[in-house]
C-alpha cells in the first residue's frame, strides 16, 4: 500500500471507533477546551491500533506532546501508525512485525522525548526507564499501566524497593477490568480465533487456562458459541466459581487430552508445555490471550516437532509424532495479533480511565509507588458510560440512606 492509501485506511479505522467511544469523546472535548495537558510530554507503549489512536488524539488535543510505539511486535496496525504520524504533536514509531532490536529501538526513541508522563501496557517503558534510561527518572511525574501483567511487574518492583516513580494502576479500575478484561477479551479472543481459523466453535471442547477476568469472559463466550468448556486453575476459589458457572474443571494434564481449542489467559508461563503437547489430539488449536507470549511453550513444541509450516495466515502447524498441533499468532495475544483487539465500546471505558488518570498525574504530586485509580474517576466513567447508553438508574432516597447507614432498625 502507498502511504496515501495507508493514511486513508488508518483514518477510516480511527474515525469508526471514535464514533463508538462516547465517553472518550466527552473527555476529548473537555481536554480540547481546557488544555489540561499543555506543556506535558507523554511517552506511550500500547497496542497501536485504532482505539489507542483515539486516546492519543485526545491527549494531544489536550495540549500534550505525544510519542508512541507498540507494546507487542504483532499488534501494530501500520495504517493506524502512519495515520497517527499526520497529526500535530504526535510521533508514532510502531511497525508491524518488527524484529526485537527494532522494537526496543522504538521504545528508546519514544523515551528520547524526555517524557514527564508515561502510559504502558505491560510496563516496557517503565522497565527501560529503571534499567537503561535511569537519567530520565527524575523528570517523571508518573505513569499509567493498562494491564494485569504490567501491574504484577510494577508491584514486584515496588516490593523490591526498585520502583522509583509513581504509577497509577489503571487496569485495577472497576470500569476497566470488569469490562475490558472480561467482556473485551471474551469477545475479541473469539473474534481473533474465528477469523483466523474460519472454523466452527459449536460442538467443540474448549479448554480455558485460568479463570480470572479474561478467562471468565473467554469461557462465557465459548459457552455462548456452543462449546463444551473446560477450565483449568491453580486457585481453588476461582476453580469453584468456574464449576458453579457451569464449566468442567480439571488439571491441564487431563484437559489436554480432550481439548479441540485451547485459550490461555493466566499471565503465567508454561500453561501449555511438553507434557500437554504429548497427549493432545490431532488438529488441536492453541491460542493465547495473556499479555506475553510465554503461556504456550513454543521452544518445547518446536523441539518436539518434525516439521513446522504455515498453513494459513497466522496459523503454524507443528507436526508432533504424526499429530498436527496448530498455534495461532505465534502464541502472542490472539485478539490483537490476529484481530483488531477489544470492541470500541469497551476500550471507551479503559481509555477514558487512561485519559483521566493522565490528567490526575499532571495535577497531583504523587509519591513513588503503585496507586489506585481514584474512586470518583472510576464512578465518573461509569456514569458517563451509562448516560451514553441511555440508561438511567435509581438514586437513594434520604430515608434509604439513613436505613443503610443505621443499625437500630432490624425489623
Ligand atoms: P487475573 O489475575 O484476573 O487471572 C489470571 C488467572 O490465572 C488467575 O485466576 C490465576 O489463578 C490463574 N492462573 C495463574 N497461573 C495458572 C496456572 N498455572 N494454571 C491455571 N491458572 C493459572 O488476570 P486477568 O486480568 O484475567 O489477565 C490475565 C492475562 O491477560 C494477563 O497477562 C493480562 O495482562 C492479560 N490481558 C490480556 C488482554 C487482551 O487483550 N488479550 C486484556 C486484559 C488482560
Amino acid at each position: 500500500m502507498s502511504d496515501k492509501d495507508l493514511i486513508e485506511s488508518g483514518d477510516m479505522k480511527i474515525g469508526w471507533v471514535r464514533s463508538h467511544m462516547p465517553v472518550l469523546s466527552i473527555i476529548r472535548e473537555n481536554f480540547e477546551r481546557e488544555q489540561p495537558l499543555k506543556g506535558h510530554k507523554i511517552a506511550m507503549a500500547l497496542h497501536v491500533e485504532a482505539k489507542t489512536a483515539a486516546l492519543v488524539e485526545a491527549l494531544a488535543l489536550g495540549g500534550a506532546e505525544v510519542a508512541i510505539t507498540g507494546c507487542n511486535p504483532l499488534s501494530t496496525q501500520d495504517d493506524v501508525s502512519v495515520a497517527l504520524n499526520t497529526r500535530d504533536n504526535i510521533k508514532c514509531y510502531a511497525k508491524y512485525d518488527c524484529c526485537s532490536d527494532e522494537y526496543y529501538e522504538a521504545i528508546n526513541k519514544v523515551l528520547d522525548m524526555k517524557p514527564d508522563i508515561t502510559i504502558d501496557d505491560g510496563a516496557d517503558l517503565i522497565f527501560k526507564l529503571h534499567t537503561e534510561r535511569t537519567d530520565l527518572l527524575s523528570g517523571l511525574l508518573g505513569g499509567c499501566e493498562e494491564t494485569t501483567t504490567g501491574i504484577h511487574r510494577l508491584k514486584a518492583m515496588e516490593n523490591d524497593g526498585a520502583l522509583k516513580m509513581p504509577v497509577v494502576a489503571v487496569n485495577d479500575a472497576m470500569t476497566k477490568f470488569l469490562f475490558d478484561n472480561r467482556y473485551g477479551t471474551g469477545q475479541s479472543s473469539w473474534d481473533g480465533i474465528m477469523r483466523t481459523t474460519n472454523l466452527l466453535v459449536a460442538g467443540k471442547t474448549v479448554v480455558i487456562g485460568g479463570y480470572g477476568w479474561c478467562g471468565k469472559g473467554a469461557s462465557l463466550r465459548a459457552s455462548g458459541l456452543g462449546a463444551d468448556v473446560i477450565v483449568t486453575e491453580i486457585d481453588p476459589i476461582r476453580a469453584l466459581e468456574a464449576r458453579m458457572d457451569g464449566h468442567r474443571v480439571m488439571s491441564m494434564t487431563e484437559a489436554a487430552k480432550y481439548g479441540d481449542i485451547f485459550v490461555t489467559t493466566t499471565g503465567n508461563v508454561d500453561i501449555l508445555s511438553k507434557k500437554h503437547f504429548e497427549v493432545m489430539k490431532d488438529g488441536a488449536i492453541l491460542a493465547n490471550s495473556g499479555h506475553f507470549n510465554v503461556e504456550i511453550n513454543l521452544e518445547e513444541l518446536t523441539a518436539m516437532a518434525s516439521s513446522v509450516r504455515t498453513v494459513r495466515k497466522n496459523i503454524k502447524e507443528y507436526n508432533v509424532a504424526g499429530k498436527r498441533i496448530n498455534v495461532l499468532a505465534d502464541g502472542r495475544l490472539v485478539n490483537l495479533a490476529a484481530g483488531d483487539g477489544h470492541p470500541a465500546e469497551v476500550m471507551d471505558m479503559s481509555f477514558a480511565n487512561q485519559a483521566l488518570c493522565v490528567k490526575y498525574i499532571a495535577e497531583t504530586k504523587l509519591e513513588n509507588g503503585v496507586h489506585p485509580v481514584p474512586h470518583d474517576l472510576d464512578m465518573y466513567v461509569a456514569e458517563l458510560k451509562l448516560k451514553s447508553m441511555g440508561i438511567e438508574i435509581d438514586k437513594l432516597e434520604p430515608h434509604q440512606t439513613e436505613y443503610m447507614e443505621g443499625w437500630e432498625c432490624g425489623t
Side-chain angles (χ1 to χ4, degrees):
M1 259 202 231
S2 70
D3 264 14
K4 186 171 162 284
D5 291 341
L6 282 172
I7 293 168
E8 203 176 298
S9 163
D11 280 344
M12 262 199 301
K13 285 183 181 173
I14 300 168
W16 171 257
V17 298
R18 208 193 288 126
S19 67
H20 291 87
M21 299 176 83
V23 180
L24 187 64
S25 295
I26 291 171
I27 293 168
R28 170 192 165 116
E29 280 162 25
N30 293 344
F31 273 17
E32 208 170 345
R33 201 175 47 250
E34 295 160 11
Q35 296 291 291
L37 305 179
K38 200 164 179 53
H40 291 284
K41 290 183 179 180
I42 304 175
M44 301 173 68
L46 264 80
H47 302 290
V48 175
E49 48 77 49
K51 281 92 64 185
T52 306
L55 170 65
V56 174
E57 286 178 343
L59 299 174
L61 288 169
E65 189 188 326
V66 187
I68 177 166
T69 184
C71 63
N72 183 303
L74 291 189
S75 64
T76 294
Q77 299 195 5
D78 282 336
D79 50 357
V80 172
S81 180
V82 173
L84 269 179
N85 273 321
T86 64
R87 314 289 198 259
D88 288 342
N89 296 323
I90 297 173
K91 186 76 202 138
C92 183
Y93 297 100
K95 247 173 70 184
Y96 175 72
D97 205 12
C98 59
C99 66
S100 176
D101 283 352
E102 284 174 312
Y103 180 81
Y104 288 106
E105 195 184 308
I107 287 193
N108 268 320
K109 279 189 189 149
V110 161
L111 291 177
D112 285 344
M113 81 180 316
K114 301 194 169 84
D116 59 352
I117 298 175
T118 60
I119 307 181
D120 262 305
D121 186 332
D124 278 350
L125 285 177
I126 291 188
F127 185 71
K128 190 65 118 185
L129 281 163
H130 284 73
T131 49
E132 290 162 40
R133 306 294 301 264
T134 48
D135 54 306
L136 299 176
L137 280 170
S138 60
L140 282 160
L141 297 174
C144 291
E145 173 52 53
E146 169 77 5
T147 198
T148 317
T149 286
I151 309 281
H152 284 169
R153 281 178 103 179
L154 293 166
K155 287 199 172 149
M157 286 173 79
E158 187 177 31
N159 290 339
D160 282 352
L163 185 61
K164 306 289 181 215
M165 63 184 279
V167 187
V168 179
V170 172
N171 177 74
D172 295 353
M174 282 185 288
T175 47
K176 200 280 181 182
F177 72 87
L178 286 175
F179 303 92
D180 172 317
N181 301 29
R182 181 167 41 174
Y183 302 115
T185 309
Q187 178 168 323
S188 64
S189 298
W190 287 107
D191 172 23
I193 293 166
M194 291 191 296
R195 73 164 80 171
T196 303
T197 61
N198 195 212
L199 295 176
L200 191 68
V201 180
K204 295 232 164 58
T205 299
V206 163
V207 179
I208 307 288
Y211 205 64
W213 294 106
C214 294
K216 287 182 201 331
S219 305
L220 179 72
R221 296 300 175 233
S223 286
L225 288 163
D228 172 21
V229 177
I230 298 175
V231 168
T232 73
E233 251 300 339
I234 42 116
D235 179 325
I237 294 176
R238 289 195 154 165
L240 272 177
E241 258 188 298
R243 183 66 194 123
M244 296 202 190
D245 284 344
H247 311 305
R248 286 197 280 159
V249 178
M250 60 186 81
S251 70
M252 186 58 93
T253 314
E254 188 62 15
K257 298 178 201 158
Y258 309 121
D260 298 304
I261 305 177
F262 294 78
V263 186
T264 53
T265 65
T266 68
N268 203 347
V269 294
D270 292 347
I271 304 309
L272 293 173
S273 59
K274 187 166 185 273
K275 61 179 181 229
H276 307 120
F277 306 138
E278 275 167 354
V279 297
M280 278 178 186
K281 297 201 283 197
D282 177 34
I285 291 168
L286 319 188
N288 166 51
S289 275
H291 186 77
F292 286 117
N293 58 335
V294 293
E295 306 213 13
I296 305 171
N297 191 326
L298 287 183
E299 239 170 68
E300 287 184 358
L301 185 57
T302 308
M304 291 165 78
S306 56
S307 64
V308 183
R309 62 183 188 124
T310 299
V311 286
R312 192 177 146 98
K313 189 173 177 224
N314 275 325
I315 309 182
K316 283 210 180 103
E317 179 196 271
Y318 292 73
N319 191 313
V320 176
K323 283 187 314 190
R324 293 159 300 170
I325 296 181
N326 298 297
V327 177
L328 307 192
D330 287 331
R332 295 201 182 267
L333 64 191
V334 70
N335 59 329
L336 281 143
D340 285 312
H342 291 358
E345 297 95 325
V346 163
M347 294 316 292
D348 188 26
M349 286 192 277
S350 305
F351 287 161
N353 273 297
Q354 286 287 6
L356 293 173
C357 287
V358 165
K359 180 169 179 273
Y360 171 66
I361 290 170
E363 291 169 349
T364 320
K365 173 104 192 68
L366 291 168
E367 300 291 319
N368 291 351
V370 180
H371 298 263
V373 172
H375 185 64
D376 57 334
L377 293 192
D378 211 353
M379 282 299 163
Y380 177 62
V381 172
E383 279 162 15
L384 286 183
K385 189 68 184 177
L386 276 176
K387 202 165 160 201
S388 77
M389 295 165 84
I391 297 172
E392 273 188 41
I393 58 170
D394 289 328
K395 284 196 171 49
L396 280 174
E397 306 270 349
H399 74 279
Q400 291 176 318
T401 308
E402 203 180 316
Y403 179 82
M404 296 298 283
E405 290 174 357
W407 56 272
E408 287 113 336
C409 302
T411 53

